[in-house]
Amino acid sequence: MKHITCIEDLRQLHMRRVPRAFFDYADRGSYTEDTLRANSEDLAQIKFRQRILVDVSKRDLSTTILGEPSAMPLILAPVGLLGMQHGDGEIHACRAAQAAGIPFTQSTMSICSIEDIAAAVDKPFWFQLYVMKDRGFIKALIERAIAAKCSALVVTVDLQVIGQRHQDIKNGMTVPPEWSLSKLVDFATKPGWVSGVLRGKRRTFGNLAGHLKVSEDITSLSTWISSQFDTSLNWKDLDWIRSIWPGKLVLKGILDVEDAELAAKTGAQAIVVSNHGGRQLDGAPSSIEVLPEIVDAVGSRMEIMFDGGIRTGMDVVRALALGAKSCMIGRAYAYGLGAGGQEGVAKALDILSKEMLTTMGLCGVNTVAEIDDNLLAV
Amino acid sequence: MKHITCIEDLRQLHMRRVPRAFFDYADRGSYTEDTLRANSEDLAQIKFRQRILVDVSKRDLSTTILGEPSAMPLILAPVGLLGMQHGDGEIHACRAAQAAGIPFTQSTMSICSIEDIAAAVDKPFWFQLYVMKDRGFIKALIERAIAAKCSALVVTVDLQVIGQRHQDIKNGMTVPPEWSLSKLVDFATKPGWVSGVLRGKRRTFGNLAGHLKVSEDITSLSTWISSQFDTSLNWKDLDWIRSIWPGKLVLKGILDVEDAELAAKTGAQAIVVSNHGGRQLDGAPSSIEVLPEIVDAVGSRMEIMFDGGIRTGMDVVRALALGAKSCMIGRAYAYGLGAGGQEGVAKALDILSKEMLTTMGLCGVNTVAEIDDNLLAV
Amino acid sequence: MKHITCIEDLRQLHMRRVPRAFFDYADRGSYTEDTLRANSEDLAQIKFRQRILVDVSKRDLSTTILGEPSAMPLILAPVGLLGMQHGDGEIHACRAAQAAGIPFTQSTMSICSIEDIAAAVDKPFWFQLYVMKDRGFIKALIERAIAAKCSALVVTVDLQVIGQRHQDIKNGMTVPPEWSLSKLVDFATKPGWVSGVLRGKRRTFGNLAGHLKVSEDITSLSTWISSQFDTSLNWKDLDWIRSIWPGKLVLKGILDVEDAELAAKTGAQAIVVSNHGGRQLDGAPSSIEVLPEIVDAVGSRMEIMFDGGIRTGMDVVRALALGAKSCMIGRAYAYGLGAGGQEGVAKALDILSKEMLTTMGLCGVNTVAEIDDNLLAV
Amino acid sequence: MKHITCIEDLRQLHMRRVPRAFFDYADRGSYTEDTLRANSEDLAQIKFRQRILVDVSKRDLSTTILGEPSAMPLILAPVGLLGMQHGDGEIHACRAAQAAGIPFTQSTMSICSIEDIAAAVDKPFWFQLYVMKDRGFIKALIERAIAAKCSALVVTVDLQVIGQRHQDIKNGMTVPPEWSLSKLVDFATKPGWVSGVLRGKRRTFGNLAGHLKVSEDITSLSTWISSQFDTSLNWKDLDWIRSIWPGKLVLKGILDVEDAELAAKTGAQAIVVSNHGGRQLDGAPSSIEVLPEIVDAVGSRMEIMFDGGIRTGMDVVRALALGAKSCMIGRAYAYGLGAGGQEGVAKALDILSKEMLTTMGLCGVNTVAEIDDNLLAV
């Protein structure tokens, strides 16, 4: 990890080390990828005020997230298939997050199961839920998260209809991914990756055991999602989830101020402003474009998390300056994981934290609480 | 068609399978191609509002076009020379359209004649008319369309003067296209295409039989058009056409609000907002740029069809959100035809319909009627 | 000239046929070439209103320029060193202009002398004047133009200080160009060009005979200009020129509305809005950007000619729509000359005239007089 | 230096002649380099009014800087490690500056010491100060500058926290640079550079002798700065510096109008509007973007110097037109130094001065005092 100086370096390493189909799954967006690009490009347009001769010797990234102390205003977002980027990928990512003192969110579509992670780490983690048609299965899933003492439930609300990712189809990504593997080994496996993932035990969706009948269900990722996910999901269903899950609730995938207003009435503690990383509605605004008006509308009533396009600590400070309380990162740490497992995720977090500290110093602030739009040039 | 996931994939396949001169005829625009590019680029700038937790389990693309039910808000636009992209190309395209439950428009400049298509399909299709100097011929053409029970007449009003397409001249495109062939076979014929087109019977403009004296008239496409088309055509001539054609009338090629107002007084049922796919007036605004003001001006009096730059289902939803009742697609299906005949056109329609359904789902609407500018981010 | 369909094609041919140093002299701009690029790019931003169903069967490009009938609203601008692009280049260009029925302007820095051209053509041409320190020589030059019955004097007012053209220095362009030649023959001469220029008699500045002492004065183009041109030239000097030249006077190189106001007081019949083709003040606005305000200020008092970035007939219509009475073209015809002598210039004029006619037709006008800002989309 | 016509040419030559690590140190910026690019791009957007027929025969670049006459409104900015670009680099640069009649600023991070330069040149130069934790050392440094009769002290206030320059880390830049050298010789040394730098005596930071214990302290540049520089530095510390330094004081690194107001209260004679050449806060506005409001706020109370992105004489005129009294150049002369020592710096100054004179001439002004926003197009 010697010459790794930025997230893009981790991305390049990830690309070299992991079979292309899995790298692409993490890296690419839906359709023309216009929204994917907008996420990063719109962040880069936001300019800082450089401030000088302020004592910045006591800079500190600590904050609270959902009322709990966090070493940084960062959360590892739920990302599917982490275990295909690196053997036991979810465990590696969770350990790196906990070592850095920030929350990790496990995806429903993880390779490790809830129980796998719970057994491997000491502290609670967050669990992300996709709502499928089979409500019995969903209820069981929530109950497993309760049993595993997950400290927050993140319900993703922007993927009942799946945005097509051309590259996944061209690459032949399937459910279960184990079957994708059988094709990948022919052309793209890499030695380090093979020993880490291919020879391991965990190669299918750990949380879907029993639900996903491997022998019958080999299918493309998008077809599988279309068959399983419930397109009728609506605000009333949240009441049902609320009735099962007693803990903190986060709604992920809000991009419109009207939806933010509705979310504020559900009793959820937080929302994540997100367009699913440019993987769903192509042509949607960037997350950062809509953040300020959502903060204006509901920021006093809920915690606002930001997700979408964060690749630098500067981007984190930008989102915080526009009103986010914390940022979820997805690709930024997934690249680290693919590049080097737990160490790679730790490297990603180290890069982002140093960039945040430098940016804060050059903007003349010492604490996360001081970050507001006074830091931005108009 | 396995790894075809978007219209651009069909375009690439078309390019590989069909002699370049015919591909270019479909693909390229006039002069600097600024308007061609603007058509797509301006569409891509329009952003959607992502909406969540709406029951979108009953999405439905059906609508009406000119009062008739249509499975989707799409019409196959008139495109010249389809029969050179694939043997019996117009019949393939018409069959694909009718199988998908949407209208097909035959171009005056088709390779198959009106009668060829009428004999090959069960349901009525639309006929597109170019007005030439020889009004006797034009009258006969309209009467043939009546005899073939064509269900709408689309009069193209933006090509009395032809915009030069550099590539067609460089490629030696001629009228009749059969003569272009004699040069093409030397360097560019492809096996599949040869068996489909070159060995077939139909290799010249079917509708111009008798009118176009092959032995005498070998000339460049643009010279031929200049010699045949009537540059004096004006609003009064529409009365004459109206006196012959008793059915539904559509005016194609309106790009200015003053012209839209004039068109509304002709008794035509619909207009097509179009710049001829960036093939005529280079420097004209994109079709989508002018759509809203035309809808404002005459949308309550006529049906507004949109044409120009549609390459995705997202683009269709954009045009509908800005007030179009339906969209004509040209290149999008011509690429499919060149790539794989009827199956390729069906694939193009399948891609667009799925993209529309996904976009509607992620915007939280179930019906075409619900699509309005409330779906767009400002 | 078979596959030549646009000015850019002529440019490519010019580049292949003529030694690079002479091509570059015509093609390149000063410093970063920002203004050179802006000239064309800003023109391309101007959009037309496409109009339909107007009888455009009687389109006509004829107009008047300085009160004389002209077949088109075009003037061949003064361009230095034409005779190095093609043997007897100025004569070729002048013949092409006169055959097309438009004015040709001879540059002070021509290879052929005033008398050479006068002897070769039947009709009067225009003469362009650079004012040098040696006023006796300038007086003689004006008197030679009078003797040659030149029909207008174009005084260039934006080159008393020369904008550095990096490529000319790197290419070793000298005064006289004959000396540049001695270097060019080593590496870059092309057969057709050799027979046309190198074996001919005219290889130095014809108008400067006597004034330019060849044996002593071999120097770089920019050094020579700095030594000869009069940086103290100011409005009062125009009175002196007026006292010698009795005919029509045109001031070329106005880019600022205050200067246009001053020019209107000199008694000159016309001004040319120009930034010397992006060859002088790098960072100056494009010519088209400043045209409207200059037209507003002095358009009722003087004839406004436009110069800068015209590469298509669409560009000509754009400038006319914004208030120019006619357009000077420089590179557009110089490329033609380098590509093919008189025939090449004729081709350039043919291309532009056809593009103008098509644009007028698609905008629904028949005459140059009808071209105004009503043709433009706002 | 024959075909060198612009600063970019010097940059290319620098790149070829000097080991990449040292070239990159001068050339690159921090993080994504967005601010680095903005510095130049925003300058290029500023347009001039071309003026004509003004007597510009007496153009003159002379002005005053901090009350002293200067031949041009230019100052050589402090640049670290000049002595690694060329043997005795700081002496070469200082001599070129003094020969051209403008100030040279020595960086704290120079290879030559204050005393080295003082011994090599006749006239006073400026000294730039970085404030480190060891205030005894800083006091001694200021006293050495006093002893060397430095005519101004430039305190840099925007580098207490260092912005990461990826390329320096990848290239293994260290403190002291001598150690970087030991790695460079393996792969990148160039003959001319070797004899100039590698065989010389001066290969470490001359001003840090004693302070920097070479044997113990080999470390990366950024780590070293983090360990030495005082992040608690604030406005009060300026009083302490003022108590030691009796002469003219310049604060370098102001980019915000509030900081400019504070600076105006310190008694400093001048501020340098600067973002450290895009090497510090990535995402900061370009220097030119903030210049006008800073001039408005404090221009009447202090001398405003501009720094950031100057690559042409046109850029100098732009900054002056927006209210700067003079411009600091950094990379522009560092490229010259790397390309050819004192001669290269002289060439850079010659290029810029000629470009300034040409721009002034084409804008119709003769003196620096006449340059104001009346020269700019709105």
Side-chain angles (χ1 to χ4, degrees):
Chain A
M1 299 266 150
K2 225 177 161 187
H3 286 142
I4 298 292
T5 62
C6 57
I7 298 296
E8 176 63 21
D9 290 342
L10 289 170
R11 181 176 171 272
Q12 295 294 328
L13 201 52
H14 183 185
M15 192 169 5
R16 288 202 300 277
R17 290 199 173 162
V18 171
R20 193 60 184 247
F22 293 124
F23 170 78
D24 282 346
Y25 172 77
D27 189 58
R28 305 293 296 271
S30 59
Y31 301 111
T32 64
E33 300 188 332
D34 276 345
T35 295
L36 172 63
R37 276 185 297 274
N39 273 352
S40 292
E41 290 175 3
D42 287 359
L43 277 165
Q45 297 302 314
I46 299 170
K47 291 187 175 163
F48 295 111
R49 294 172 65 193
Q50 173 184 287
R51 299 306 302 272
I52 53 155
L53 292 174
V54 176
D55 178 345
V56 290
S57 57
K58 300 196 174 59
R59 279 160 295 148
D60 178 2
L61 292 174
S62 68
T63 187
T64 62
I65 297 179
L66 291 182
E68 301 294 321
S70 181
M72 294 190 279
L74 287 184
I75 302 155
L76 298 202
V79 175
L81 276 83
L82 285 182
M84 304 311 288
Q85 308 294 1
H86 192 281
D88 296 331
E90 289 86 3
I91 293 170
H92 280 250
C94 187
R95 282 180 174 154
Q98 297 190 344
I102 64 168
F104 168 79
T105 317
Q106 186 196 9
S107 167
T108 292
M109 304 298 279
S110 291
I111 304 301
C112 294
S113 68
I114 304 178
E115 293 77 13
D116 288 335
I117 302 184
V121 301
D122 293 331
K123 294 176 213 159
F125 53 95
W126 296 7
F127 182 71
Q128 174 269 344
L129 184 75
Y130 280 127
V131 183
M132 302 183 193
K133 289 173 184 162
D134 180 348
R135 295 295 161 91
F137 173 71
I138 295 305
K139 184 161 185 285
L141 210 49
I142 299 175
E143 286 165 352
R144 288 164 65 190
I146 295 170
K149 302 193 193 310
C150 289
S151 52
L153 184 74
V154 178
V155 180
T156 299
V157 292
D158 62 0
L159 197 130
Q160 299 315 112
V161 176
I162 190 170
Q164 180 169 294
R165 299 154 204 170
H166 300 331
Q167 208 51 44
D168 286 354
I169 297 175
K170 289 178 166 73
N171 287 335
M173 282 295 290
T174 55
V175 170
E178 191 166 3
W179 191 75
S180 306
L181 271 181
S182 69
K183 294 189 298 181
L184 286 172
V185 289
D186 297 337
F187 67 93
T189 49
K190 327 259 171 141
W193 182 83
V194 167
S195 59
V197 173
L198 208 53
R199 294 188 192 147
K201 278 179 291 184
R202 297 190 187 93
R203 300 209 303 257
T204 188
F205 297 114
N207 292 326
L208 307 184
H211 187 70
L212 184 79
K213 292 172 204 86
V214 176
S215 55
E216 307 164 17
D217 288 330
I218 291 168
T219 180
S220 80
L221 185 62
S222 60
T223 304
W224 184 83
I225 287 179
S226 299
S227 72
Q228 297 292 319
F229 283 38
D230 186 356
T231 56
S232 76
L233 186 78
N234 59 65
W235 292 101
K236 288 178 194 159
D237 296 298
L238 282 183
D239 294 339
W240 175 74
I241 292 170
R242 251 284 161 246
S243 71
I244 306 168
W245 172 256
K248 288 167 186 166
L249 185 69
V250 178
L251 299 185
K252 178 169 181 287
I254 309 280
L255 204 66
D256 195 88
V257 72
E258 288 189 31
D259 288 335
E261 294 278 6
L262 294 170
K265 293 173 185 154
T266 61
Q269 276 71 28
I271 55 173
V272 187
V273 173
S274 171
N275 51 33
H276 215 106
R279 300 157 81 88
Q280 284 287 91
L281 176 59
D282 194 42
S286 67
S287 298
I288 200 70
E289 187 181 331
V290 301
L291 176 64
E293 56 184 330
I294 290 178
V295 168
D296 275 359
V298 301
S300 60
R301 285 178 278 165
M302 314 180 76
E303 198 163 315
I304 311 292
M305 297 164 178
F306 176 83
D307 170 85
I310 300 280
R311 297 290 180 278
T312 66
M314 286 75 88
D315 291 339
V316 178
V317 179
R318 284 165 169 133
L320 266 54
L322 289 174
K325 182 81 170 65
S326 60
C327 292
M328 278 193 172
I329 55 170
R331 289 180 181 88
Y333 83 87
Y335 296 145
L337 183 70
Q342 180 176 345
E343 189 195 356
V345 178
K347 184 74 185 176
L349 295 175
D350 183 55
I351 287 169
L352 295 174
S353 70
K354 283 188 176 142
E355 290 173 341
M356 279 187 265
L357 285 170
T358 300
T359 304
M360 287 168 65
L362 294 169
C363 288
V365 296
N366 282 293
T367 66
V368 169
E370 289 173 85
I371 301 174
D372 61 21
D373 60 10
N374 196 37
L375 267 68
L376 303 181
V378 200
Chain B
M1 299 267 150
K2 224 177 162 187
H3 286 143
I4 298 291
T5 62
C6 56
I7 298 297
E8 176 63 21
D9 289 341
L10 290 170
R11 182 176 171 272
Q12 295 294 329
L13 200 53
H14 183 184
M15 191 167 8
R16 287 202 299 278
R17 290 198 173 163
V18 171
R20 192 61 182 246
F22 293 125
F23 170 77
D24 282 346
Y25 172 77
D27 188 58
R28 303 295 295 270
S30 60
Y31 301 111
T32 65
E33 301 188 331
D34 277 344
T35 295
L36 172 63
R37 276 185 297 274
N39 273 353
S40 292
E41 290 175 2
D42 287 358
L43 277 165
Q45 298 301 316
I46 299 169
K47 291 186 176 163
F48 296 111
R49 293 172 65 192
Q50 173 185 289
R51 300 304 304 271
I52 54 156
L53 293 174
V54 175
D55 178 346
V56 290
S57 57
K58 300 197 174 57
R59 279 161 295 149
D60 179 1
L61 291 174
S62 68
T63 186
T64 63
I65 297 179
L66 291 181
E68 301 294 320
S70 181
M72 295 191 278
L74 288 183
I75 302 155
L76 298 201
V79 175
L81 275 82
L82 285 182
M84 303 312 287
Q85 309 293 1
H86 192 280
D88 295 332
E90 289 86 3
I91 293 172
H92 280 249
C94 187
R95 282 179 174 154
Q98 297 190 344
I102 63 169
F104 167 79
T105 317
Q106 186 196 11
S107 167
T108 293
M109 302 298 280
S110 292
I111 303 302
C112 293
S113 68
I114 304 178
E115 293 77 13
D116 288 336
I117 302 184
V121 301
D122 294 331
K123 296 176 211 158
F125 53 95
W126 296 7
F127 183 72
Q128 174 270 344
L129 183 75
Y130 280 126
V131 184
M132 302 182 193
K133 289 172 185 162
D134 179 349
R135 295 294 162 91
F137 172 71
I138 295 306
K139 185 163 185 286
L141 209 49
I142 298 175
E143 288 165 350
R144 287 164 64 191
I146 295 170
K149 302 192 193 311
C150 289
S151 51
L153 185 73
V154 178
V155 180
T156 298
V157 291
D158 62 1
L159 197 131
Q160 299 315 111
V161 176
I162 189 170
Q164 181 169 292
R165 299 156 205 171
H166 299 331
Q167 208 51 44
D168 286 354
I169 296 175
K170 290 179 165 74
N171 287 334
M173 282 294 292
T174 55
V175 171
E178 191 164 6
W179 190 75
S180 305
L181 271 181
S182 69
K183 294 187 298 179
L184 287 172
V185 289
D186 297 337
F187 67 92
T189 48
K190 328 258 172 145
W193 181 83
V194 168
S195 59
V197 173
L198 208 54
R199 292 185 193 148
K201 280 178 290 184
R202 298 188 186 95
R203 302 209 301 257
T204 187
F205 297 114
N207 292 326
L208 308 183
H211 186 71
L212 183 80
K213 293 173 203 83
V214 175
S215 55
E216 306 163 19
D217 288 332
I218 290 169
T219 180
S220 80
L221 184 62
S222 59
T223 305
W224 183 83
I225 288 179
S226 299
S227 72
Q228 297 292 320
F229 283 40
D230 186 356
T231 56
S232 77
L233 185 78
N234 59 66
W235 292 102
K236 288 177 193 158
D237 296 298
L238 281 185
D239 294 339
W240 176 74
I241 292 170
R242 251 284 162 246
S243 73
I244 306 167
W245 172 258
K248 287 167 186 165
L249 184 69
V250 178
L251 298 185
K252 178 168 180 290
I254 309 280
L255 204 66
D256 195 88
V257 71
E258 288 188 31
D259 288 335
E261 293 279 6
L262 294 170
K265 294 174 184 153
T266 61
Q269 276 72 27
I271 56 172
V272 187
V273 172
S274 171
N275 51 32
H276 215 106
R279 300 156 80 88
Q280 284 287 89
L281 177 59
D282 194 43
S286 65
S287 298
I288 200 71
E289 187 181 330
V290 300
L291 176 64
E293 57 183 329
I294 290 178
V295 168
D296 274 359
V298 302
S300 60
R301 286 177 279 166
M302 314 179 75
E303 197 162 316
I304 311 292
M305 297 164 177
F306 176 83
D307 170 84
I310 299 279
R311 298 291 180 278
T312 65
M314 286 75 88
D315 291 339
V316 178
V317 179
R318 284 165 169 134
L320 267 54
L322 289 174
K325 183 81 169 68
S326 60
C327 292
M328 279 194 171
I329 56 170
R331 289 180 182 90
Y333 85 86
Y335 295 145
L337 183 70
Q342 180 176 344
E343 188 195 357
V345 178
K347 182 75 185 175
L349 295 175
D350 183 55
I351 287 169
L352 294 173
S353 70
K354 283 188 176 142
E355 291 173 340
M356 280 187 265
L357 285 170
T358 300
T359 303
M360 287 167 66
L362 293 169
C363 288
V365 296
N366 281 294
T367 66
V368 169
E370 290 172 85
I371 300 174
D372 60 22
D373 61 9
N374 196 37
L375 267 69
L376 303 181
V378 201
Chain C
M1 299 266 148
K2 225 179 163 187
H3 286 142
I4 299 291
T5 62
C6 56
I7 298 297
E8 176 63 20
D9 289 342
L10 290 170
R11 182 177 170 272
Q12 295 294 329
L13 200 53
H14 183 184
M15 190 166 11
R16 287 201 299 276
R17 290 197 174 164
V18 171
R20 192 61 183 246
F22 293 125
F23 170 77
D24 282 346
Y25 172 78
D27 189 58
R28 303 295 295 270
S30 60
Y31 301 111
T32 64
E33 301 188 329
D34 276 345
T35 295
L36 172 63
R37 275 185 297 274
N39 273 352
S40 292
E41 289 175 1
D42 287 359
L43 277 164
Q45 297 302 315
I46 299 169
K47 291 185 176 165
F48 296 111
R49 293 172 65 193
Q50 172 184 288
R51 301 304 304 270
I52 53 157
L53 294 174
V54 176
D55 178 346
V56 290
S57 58
K58 299 194 176 59
R59 277 161 296 148
D60 179 2
L61 291 174
S62 68
T63 185
T64 63
I65 297 179
L66 291 181
E68 301 295 320
S70 182
M72 295 189 278
L74 287 183
I75 301 154
L76 297 201
V79 175
L81 276 82
L82 284 182
M84 303 312 287
Q85 309 292 2
H86 192 281
D88 296 332
E90 290 86 3
I91 294 172
H92 280 250
C94 187
R95 282 179 173 154
Q98 296 191 345
I102 64 169
F104 167 79
T105 317
Q106 185 196 11
S107 166
T108 293
M109 303 298 280
S110 291
I111 303 302
C112 294
S113 68
I114 304 179
E115 295 76 15
D116 288 335
I117 303 183
V121 301
D122 294 331
K123 297 177 211 157
F125 53 96
W126 295 8
F127 183 72
Q128 175 270 343
L129 184 74
Y130 280 126
V131 184
M132 302 182 193
K133 289 172 184 162
D134 179 349
R135 295 295 161 90
F137 172 71
I138 295 305
K139 184 163 187 286
L141 210 50
I142 298 174
E143 287 165 350
R144 287 164 65 191
I146 295 170
K149 301 192 193 311
C150 289
S151 51
L153 185 73
V154 178
V155 180
T156 299
V157 292
D158 62 0
L159 196 130
Q160 298 315 112
V161 176
I162 189 169
Q164 180 169 294
R165 298 154 205 172
H166 300 330
Q167 206 51 43
D168 285 355
I169 296 175
K170 290 179 166 72
N171 286 336
M173 282 295 291
T174 56
V175 172
E178 190 164 5
W179 190 76
S180 304
L181 270 180
S182 69
K183 294 188 298 179
L184 286 173
V185 290
D186 298 336
F187 67 94
T189 48
K190 328 255 172 147
W193 182 84
V194 168
S195 58
V197 173
L198 208 53
R199 293 186 193 147
K201 278 178 292 184
R202 296 190 188 94
R203 301 210 302 256
T204 187
F205 296 115
N207 292 327
L208 306 184
H211 186 71
L212 184 78
K213 293 175 204 81
V214 176
S215 56
E216 307 163 18
D217 287 333
I218 290 169
T219 180
S220 80
L221 184 62
S222 60
T223 304
W224 183 84
I225 288 179
S226 299
S227 72
Q228 296 293 319
F229 282 39
D230 187 355
T231 56
S232 76
L233 186 79
N234 59 66
W235 292 102
K236 288 177 192 159
D237 297 299
L238 282 184
D239 294 339
W240 175 75
I241 291 169
R242 251 286 160 245
S243 73
I244 306 167
W245 173 258
K248 286 166 186 166
L249 184 68
V250 178
L251 299 185
K252 178 169 181 288
I254 310 279
L255 204 66
D256 194 88
V257 72
E258 287 189 31
D259 288 335
E261 293 279 4
L262 295 170
K265 294 173 183 153
T266 62
Q269 277 71 29
I271 55 172
V272 186
V273 173
S274 172
N275 50 33
H276 215 107
R279 300 156 82 87
Q280 284 287 87
L281 177 59
D282 193 43
S286 66
S287 299
I288 200 70
E289 187 181 330
V290 301
L291 176 63
E293 57 184 329
I294 291 178
V295 168
D296 274 0
V298 302
S300 60
R301 286 177 279 165
M302 314 180 76
E303 197 163 316
I304 312 292
M305 297 164 177
F306 176 83
D307 171 82
I310 300 280
R311 297 292 179 278
T312 66
M314 286 74 88
D315 291 338
V316 178
V317 179
R318 284 167 170 133
L320 267 55
L322 289 173
K325 183 82 169 66
S326 59
C327 292
M328 279 195 171
I329 55 170
R331 290 181 182 89
Y333 84 87
Y335 295 145
L337 183 70
Q342 180 177 344
E343 187 195 356
V345 178
K347 183 73 185 177
L349 295 175
D350 183 55
I351 288 169
L352 294 173
S353 70
K354 283 187 175 144
E355 291 173 340
M356 279 187 266
L357 285 169
T358 299
T359 303
M360 288 167 66
L362 293 169
C363 289
V365 297
N366 282 294
T367 68
V368 169
E370 290 173 85
I371 300 175
D372 60 21
D373 60 9
N374 195 37
L375 266 69
L376 303 181
V378 200
Chain D
M1 299 265 149
K2 226 177 161 187
H3 286 142
I4 299 291
T5 62
C6 56
I7 299 296
E8 176 64 20
D9 289 342
L10 290 170
R11 181 176 171 273
Q12 296 294 330
L13 201 52
H14 183 184
M15 191 168 7
R16 287 201 300 277
R17 290 198 173 162
V18 171
R20 193 60 183 248
F22 293 124
F23 170 77
D24 282 346
Y25 172 78
D27 188 58
R28 305 293 296 271
S30 60
Y31 300 110
T32 64
E33 301 188 331
D34 276 345
T35 295
L36 172 64
R37 276 185 297 274
N39 273 352
S40 292
E41 289 175 3
D42 286 359
L43 277 164
Q45 298 301 316
I46 298 169
K47 291 185 177 166
F48 296 111
R49 294 172 64 193
Q50 173 184 286
R51 300 305 303 271
I52 54 155
L53 293 174
V54 175
D55 177 346
V56 290
S57 58
K58 299 194 176 60
R59 278 161 294 148
D60 179 1
L61 291 175
S62 68
T63 186
T64 63
I65 297 180
L66 291 181
E68 301 295 320
S70 181
M72 295 190 278
L74 286 184
I75 302 154
L76 298 202
V79 175
L81 276 82
L82 285 182
M84 303 311 288
Q85 309 293 3
H86 192 281
D88 295 331
E90 289 85 4
I91 294 172
H92 280 250
C94 187
R95 282 179 173 153
Q98 296 190 346
I102 64 169
F104 167 79
T105 317
Q106 186 195 10
S107 167
T108 292
M109 304 298 281
S110 291
I111 303 301
C112 293
S113 68
I114 304 179
E115 294 76 14
D116 288 336
I117 302 184
V121 302
D122 295 330
K123 295 177 213 158
F125 52 97
W126 296 7
F127 182 72
Q128 175 269 344
L129 183 74
Y130 280 127
V131 184
M132 302 182 194
K133 289 173 185 163
D134 179 348
R135 294 295 162 90
F137 172 71
I138 295 304
K139 184 163 185 285
L141 210 50
I142 298 175
E143 286 165 351
R144 287 164 65 191
I146 295 170
K149 300 193 195 310
C150 289
S151 51
L153 184 73
V154 178
V155 180
T156 298
V157 291
D158 62 0
L159 197 129
Q160 299 315 113
V161 176
I162 189 169
Q164 179 170 294
R165 299 154 203 171
H166 300 330
Q167 207 52 43
D168 286 354
I169 296 175
K170 289 179 165 73
N171 287 335
M173 283 294 290
T174 55
V175 171
E178 190 165 3
W179 192 75
S180 304
L181 271 180
S182 69
K183 294 188 298 180
L184 286 172
V185 290
D186 297 337
F187 67 93
T189 48
K190 330 258 171 144
W193 182 84
V194 167
S195 59
V197 173
L198 208 52
R199 294 186 193 148
K201 277 179 292 185
R202 296 188 187 96
R203 301 210 303 256
T204 188
F205 297 115
N207 292 327
L208 307 184
H211 186 70
L212 184 78
K213 294 173 205 85
V214 176
S215 55
E216 307 163 19
D217 286 332
I218 291 169
T219 180
S220 80
L221 184 62
S222 60
T223 304
W224 183 85
I225 288 179
S226 299
S227 70
Q228 297 292 320
F229 282 40
D230 186 356
T231 55
S232 77
L233 186 78
N234 59 67
W235 291 101
K236 288 177 193 160
D237 296 298
L238 283 183
D239 294 339
W240 175 74
I241 292 170
R242 251 287 162 242
S243 72
I244 305 168
W245 173 259
K248 287 166 185 166
L249 184 69
V250 178
L251 299 184
K252 179 169 181 287
I254 310 280
L255 204 67
D256 195 88
V257 73
E258 287 188 31
D259 289 334
E261 293 279 5
L262 295 170
K265 293 174 184 154
T266 62
Q269 276 71 30
I271 55 173
V272 187
V273 173
S274 171
N275 51 32
H276 215 107
R279 300 156 81 86
Q280 284 287 89
L281 176 59
D282 193 44
S286 67
S287 298
I288 200 70
E289 187 181 331
V290 301
L291 176 64
E293 56 183 331
I294 290 178
V295 167
D296 275 359
V298 301
S300 60
R301 287 177 277 166
M302 314 180 76
E303 199 162 314
I304 311 292
M305 297 165 178
F306 176 83
D307 171 84
I310 300 281
R311 298 289 180 278
T312 67
M314 286 74 89
D315 291 338
V316 178
V317 179
R318 284 166 169 134
L320 267 54
L322 289 174
K325 182 82 171 65
S326 60
C327 293
M328 279 194 171
I329 55 170
R331 289 182 180 88
Y333 84 87
Y335 296 144
L337 183 69
Q342 180 176 344
E343 188 195 357
V345 179
K347 183 73 185 178
L349 295 174
D350 183 57
I351 287 169
L352 294 173
S353 70
K354 283 187 176 144
E355 290 173 341
M356 279 187 267
L357 285 169
T358 300
T359 304
M360 287 167 66
L362 294 169
C363 288
V365 297
N366 281 294
T367 67
V368 169
E370 290 173 84
I371 300 174
D372 60 20
D373 61 9
N374 196 36
L375 265 70
L376 303 181
V378 200

